[in-house]
Every structure is written in C-alpha cells, then in structure tokens.
Amino acid sequence: MDNGAELSSFVFPTESHFGERYESRGPEWCLEMKLKVASGAMAVSERLEKRGYELTRNDALTIMKFFKKLKLFQKSMELKHCWQDYKSFAREAKKIQVNSSLSLYKLVYKEAAKLLKYTDYYSFSRSAKFFNKLTGRDIEACAGHLISIVSRLFVRRWALDPILELTRNRLPILCCDIVIEQLSNEDICNICLAATSQNHNNCKKNPKKNVTNCTNKIPVRTKKAPERLQYVW
C-alpha cells in the first residue's frame, strides 16, 4: 500500500484463502510463531482500515476462524497466568522496551494494551530483544499472554452487535458491556459465529433480505452513536 496499491478493487480473502500458506505447517506451532501470525494479521487489517477499507463482520469472522483453527484462543487462555509469579521474568521485562515509552513489564502487568497499535505488537514479536533476553519458558508464557491481548482487542470490538442480535436488543448496551467483559476470547468468537448463523437462517426465511447484508455490518462502536451512547474505545 505504501507503494501505491489501489484499494478500490480489493476483495478481502475468503476463509479458504486466509492463512493458506500456513496450512502445511500444521496446527501445533510454537507460541512465538503464533504471536507473529496473530499480530501480523491484525497489523494488515489495521493498515487496510487506515487506508479507507471498511472491515465488515464477514471479514472479522474470517480472521476469527483462522485464529480458532490455529488454537490461538485456547493456548493463550491456558498460559495467561502461568508466569505471573516469576520474579526473574518481572526483572527482565522491566529492561525490555516494546517501544520508546513502554516496557514489556508495563504492557503485561499494567494492562497498557490499548496504548499500542497492532503494528507495534507485530514489530515487537519479530524483535530479537524479545527472544534474546528471556528464557524459553518465559518466552512461551509471554507470547501466550500477548496473543491473548492482541486477539482480545480484536474480538472485543466485534462483540456488541452479535450479543444485541442474539438477545433481540433486550439488554441495554451497558449491560452487554458487563457481560462481554466476563467472556473469554473464544466465547466471544463463538457468539459472533452463532449470531451470523442465526442471521443466515433468518435471511433464508425472508428471501427479500439479502444474506450478504445480514452479516456484512460495521460494528456499532465505529458508527456515529447518540451522545449518551458514545463509547471511548
């Protein structure tokens, strides 16, 4: 895109094409590689949106299904807390800078995830300082946690509309937010899939509705909402 690629004719990859180059490697990759893949996919979507492409729910579901296929939700949740008592990790994490203003320690312990862009996560995952200053076990645990952070930022963005649809708008947005915060990344992914399946079924029952329009939605958070419903994301 920096070299002048035109987005007007861009078509987001389908599920059969997304991640095709990784199929031959099998699902059991090391977590460091999975972190690169997860943050890389998010960095690409971030750059597309920056250049004017509007990511739809179908696009988001393609990414979520890819994450699920690679077991990113499962692995990241299993390893989320395994290193929190490691004094050696905390000591080294304070020395490792993710960028000029944020250390790995602050990112992990101070929940500063929203201070970074996806491209920052991707650059850090490819950085030698990440792998050279930590032990093998700490690298694996840290990579698992960062996968959880990256995937959480993404699935959280798409969680509201599906819950509103599945509950038929019976819950206020504030209540939905409270529910969402209690859900795991995989739970949110499954809810998004369930809502999409329900929409497809409803569209089949009502032929006047276009199936594509039922799922190709921009999330509520990115639309202009009434002032009292504005949400700082």
Side-chain angles (χ1 to χ4, degrees):
M1 287 183 286
D2 290 334
N3 295 323
E6 180 59 53
L7 280 179
S8 59
S9 58
F10 174 76
V11 178
F12 198 84
T14 63
E15 187 178 349
S16 61
H17 292 95
F18 202 90
E20 186 176 20
R21 60 174 292 194
Y22 302 109
E23 291 292 331
S24 60
R25 297 176 182 242
E28 297 302 326
W29 295 358
C30 65
L31 286 175
E32 302 97 286
M33 178 62 72
K34 290 185 178 183
L35 173 59
K36 291 178 182 178
V37 172
S39 58
M42 294 296 89
V44 170
S45 67
E46 182 177 70
R47 290 176 68 85
L48 284 171
E49 291 189 284
K50 185 177 180 181
R51 294 303 178 94
Y53 180 78
E54 290 190 339
L55 206 68
T56 67
R57 191 194 297 181
N58 275 344
D59 300 335
L61 283 173
T62 298
I63 295 174
M64 289 185 203
K65 289 176 183 177
F66 177 55
F67 282 10
K68 194 168 184 177
K69 183 184 294 185
L70 293 183
K71 301 181 181 179
L72 298 189
F73 299 135
Q74 175 186 346
K75 290 292 185 181
S76 59
M77 294 308 295
E78 285 176 0
L79 293 171
K80 185 175 180 181
H81 302 292
C82 70
W83 42 261
Q84 288 188 350
D85 294 327
Y86 284 2
K87 292 183 180 179
S88 61
F89 174 82
R91 183 171 58 251
E92 292 301 323
K94 290 177 181 179
K95 302 175 185 177
I96 300 173
Q97 291 297 121
V98 179
N99 59 26
S100 59
S101 60
L102 186 67
S103 69
L104 178 60
Y105 178 84
K106 287 183 178 179
L107 175 60
V108 168
Y109 285 94
K110 304 300 182 181
E111 299 184 353
K114 294 179 184 178
L115 298 179
L116 296 179
K117 297 179 180 179
Y118 290 127
T119 49
D120 295 323
Y121 286 101
Y122 180 62
S123 297
F124 181 67
S125 72
R126 295 173 57 85
S127 171
K129 60 187 176 184
F130 176 45
F131 298 102
N132 293 345
K133 293 186 179 181
L134 297 175
T135 65
R137 189 176 181 184
D138 284 346
I139 289 174
E140 183 178 348
C142 184
H145 184 64
L146 293 180
I147 288 171
S148 182
I149 290 176
V150 169
S151 56
R152 184 70 178 186
L153 289 172
F154 184 69
V155 300
R156 178 65 178 81
R157 171 188 172 188
W158 295 90
L160 179 59
D161 280 354
I163 287 183
L164 289 173
E165 291 164 11
L166 291 173
T167 59
R168 299 185 180 181
N169 295 297
R170 292 172 182 166
L171 287 178
I173 289 180
L174 181 59
C175 292
C176 291
D177 285 335
I178 294 173
V179 171
I180 290 169
E181 291 307 317
Q182 305 305 313
L183 299 174
S184 70
N185 294 344
E186 188 166 17
D187 289 336
I188 294 176
C189 176
N190 290 335
I191 286 172
C192 291
L193 292 172
T196 299
S197 177
Q198 176 179 276
N199 285 339
H200 275 289
N201 291 335
N202 290 340
C203 287
K204 288 179 181 178
K205 293 177 182 178
N206 185 358
K208 293 182 180 180
K209 269 193 172 183
N210 184 287
V211 175
T212 302
N213 290 336
C214 287
T215 54
N216 265 359
K217 298 179 179 180
I218 310 301
V220 167
R221 301 282 188 221
T222 63
K223 300 174 184 175
K224 182 66 176 177
E227 191 65 31
R228 64 187 181 88
L229 295 181
Q230 290 287 348
Y231 186 89
V232 179
W233 182 232

